[in-house]
Amino acid sequence: MFEEMKPEELYKRKAHQQHTIVDVRSPKEFHQSTIPGSLNIPVFTDEERSEVGTIYKQVGPEAAKERGLAIFSNKLPGFIAAFQKINTPITVFCWRGGMRSKTAATVVDLMGIKNVTRLTGGIRAYREWTVSLLDEFDFRPELIVLNGGTGNGKTMILEKLRKEGYPVINLEEMAGHRGSIFGQIGLEPKNQRAFDFQLLEKLLEYQNEPFVFLEGESKRIGKVTLPERLYRKKEASRQLFIELPMEKRVANILEDYQPWKYPEKFKEAFQLIKRHIHTPVAKEIEQCLESGEFAVAVELLLMHYYDPRYEHSSDYPENRQTLVQAKSVEDAIERIKREML
C-alpha cells in the first residue's frame, strides 16, 4: 500500500535525490499552476473533469464516482504505461489529496510499481506550506537590486548574468509580466499560486549564496504580489541604477516587446495612460503606433511618461545607491562585475 507524504518532506526529497512528482489533475489545472518540476499524467481530461463535476453537483457524489471510474477504467492501460516509464521514486498529487490521487496511487501500486507515495492534502496543502514559509522566510544572501528607467536592460542583464552562473531571481519571468502598462503583451501572466511556488524554490536554492541579483520591482507585478518580508529586504538592500543611452533603451524595448506583432494590444494599452501625457504628444504617439513607427513612439513614451514617473519613484539613501552608466547591456554587465569585486 502506498504511503502519505507531507509537503515539507516532499520538498526535501526532491531537492536532495532523484524523485518524480506527478500531477494527476487535468491539463488545464496543471497549466494554471503546479509544483515546480512536476509531470502531468491526468486521471481526467478537462472535458471529463467538467462532466464528472457536473454529475456531482446535479446528481450526487455516488453517481459522480461511478462515472469517474467508468471513464478512468477505459484509459487505464495508457495511464499505467506512462508511470512505467518513470525510473525514480514517485509522488502523486491532485487538488486536495482526494479521489484522483488516491485512485492513481492505488492503481499504480497494485500494478507493481514500487516507491509510490501520495502528497497529503494535495497541491492545496503544498500551497499553504509555501505561503506560510514565504511569510516567515529569512533569506540570508545580500540582495543586489538592479534599478533604472524602462529600457535600461535590467532583465537582459539578469539573464546574461544567470547564463554566466551568477545567482539570479527573475521576478518578471516568474510573474509572466514586465511590470509596465504594456507588460503582459505577448506573455502569459501567472497567478499568485504559480508565482509563489517558483519564488520559494529559488529562495531555498540560493539560501547559502553570498549574494543574489534581482530587479527593482514594485510590490505588485502584474497579477502577483511579493511577500512582505522579501519586499522589505529588497528595499533595504544595495541598489544599482543602470543608465544606458536613449537609443540603446529604445532598441532594448523593441527587442523585448516586439510591438509589430501585437499592434492592436499596444494601442489598447496606450489608452490607459493617454490622459497622463500632454495632449499634442499623446496624439503623436497614437499616430506613430497607428503607422508602425514604433521606435519614435517608444522614445516619446520614455521622455514624456516613463522617465518623469521613474524620477519620482527612486528615493533611496545615497550610501545604498550606485550609479552604473554604460554604453550597452554588455558594458553594464562588466561594470556591475567590477563593482562586485
Side-chain angles (χ1 to χ4, degrees):
M1 184 63 179
F2 64 86
E3 296 180 358
E4 297 281 338
M5 182 176 291
K6 294 181 179 179
E8 55 270 31
E9 295 170 334
L10 175 59
Y11 175 79
K12 290 176 183 176
R13 186 168 297 190
K14 79 187 188 77
H16 296 105
Q17 67 182 66
Q18 284 193 321
H19 196 87
T20 302
I21 307 172
V22 178
D23 186 340
V24 298
R25 299 176 303 152
S26 68
K28 182 178 180 180
E29 292 173 287
F30 175 79
H31 182 72
Q32 288 173 341
S33 66
T34 192
I35 297 172
S38 300
L39 298 178
N40 187 211
I41 306 178
V43 169
F44 299 133
T45 64
D46 296 327
E47 295 74 19
E48 290 164 350
R49 174 175 173 256
S50 177
E51 179 188 352
V52 172
T54 300
I55 293 172
Y56 185 94
K57 291 177 182 178
Q58 295 182 354
V59 183
E62 290 304 317
K65 286 180 184 178
E66 288 180 13
R67 180 55 184 150
L69 287 172
I71 293 171
F72 184 59
S73 62
N74 289 329
K75 60 174 66 179
L76 198 53
F79 188 81
I80 295 299
F83 275 88
Q84 288 173 332
K85 294 177 182 178
I86 302 170
N87 57 8
T88 69
I90 300 168
T91 298
V92 301
F93 71 90
C94 60
W95 171 235
R96 289 184 295 187
M99 286 301 298
R100 284 183 290 179
S101 61
K102 185 176 181 179
T103 300
T106 300
V107 167
V108 169
D109 182 69
L110 288 173
M111 293 303 296
I113 300 174
K114 302 302 180 184
N115 295 319
V116 177
T117 55
R118 183 174 76 139
L119 177 61
T120 303
I123 196 172
R124 184 176 181 179
Y126 198 89
R127 160 74 169 152
E128 291 171 355
W129 172 74
T130 297
V131 171
S132 175
L133 198 53
L134 284 174
D135 286 344
E136 61 187 35
F137 196 77
D138 182 19
F139 191 51
R140 291 192 293 266
E142 177 188 5
L143 294 181
I144 310 299
V145 186
L146 303 188
N147 295 276
T150 303
N152 276 296
K154 302 180 292 295
T155 301
M156 293 179 181
I157 292 169
L158 287 179
E159 285 308 295
K160 289 179 182 294
L161 286 171
R162 178 160 64 181
K163 288 179 180 178
E164 292 184 26
Y166 288 91
V168 165
I169 296 177
N170 189 335
L171 297 170
E172 290 187 358
E173 180 183 58
M174 293 178 184
H177 199 288
R178 302 182 189 90
S180 72
I181 197 69
F182 303 97
Q184 70 180 44
I185 297 176
L187 301 177
E188 183 177 1
K190 301 295 193 302
N191 58 38
Q192 189 70 49
R193 186 165 59 246
F195 176 80
D196 287 345
F197 287 154
Q198 291 188 66
L199 178 59
L200 180 61
E201 293 266 322
K202 281 298 178 186
L203 294 179
L204 291 169
E205 178 184 349
Y206 292 147
Q207 179 68 329
N208 294 318
E209 295 285 348
F211 62 85
V212 173
F213 288 103
L214 79 166
E215 190 170 339
E217 301 288 348
S218 61
K219 189 171 183 180
R220 186 170 183 84
I221 312 169
K223 295 181 177 181
V224 306
T225 304
L226 289 177
E228 179 63 30
R229 192 161 186 170
L230 180 64
Y231 179 75
R232 289 201 306 267
K233 181 180 177 71
K234 178 188 74 70
E235 290 295 284
S237 296
R238 186 177 178 186
Q239 312 289 324
L240 304 185
F241 285 82
I242 315 299
E243 283 191 7
L244 300 184
M246 178 61 77
E247 64 270 18
K248 291 293 184 182
R249 295 173 64 193
V250 171
N252 288 341
I253 291 171
L254 292 176
E255 180 182 341
D256 188 18
Y257 285 80
Q258 300 184 9
W260 49 87
K261 290 184 177 180
Y262 318 97
E264 295 306 315
K265 290 185 180 296
F266 274 86
K267 284 185 274 186
E268 289 172 14
F270 177 67
Q271 298 305 312
L272 300 175
I273 59 173
K274 180 180 176 181
R275 62 187 179 88
H276 298 292
I277 302 173
H278 190 47
T279 302
V281 177
K283 186 175 181 181
E284 186 177 358
I285 293 171
E286 212 161 25
Q287 290 171 343
C288 288
L289 290 174
E290 190 66 42
S291 62
E293 298 176 86
F294 297 114
V296 178
V298 167
E299 184 168 351
L300 289 172
L301 279 166
L302 290 175
M303 292 172 59
H304 297 279
Y305 181 73
Y306 283 106
D307 285 358
R309 289 169 67 89
Y310 183 77
E311 288 172 7
H312 292 295
S313 67
S314 304
D315 186 21
Y316 296 97
E318 288 188 11
N319 64 342
R320 288 196 282 108
Q321 293 190 48
T322 300
L323 179 62
V324 180
Q325 290 180 308
K327 299 176 182 178
S328 65
V329 164
E330 290 72 23
D331 183 30
I333 290 172
E334 293 307 311
R335 291 173 185 271
I336 289 170
K337 288 179 185 176
R338 290 198 294 269
E339 187 67 33
M340 296 304 300
L341 294 177

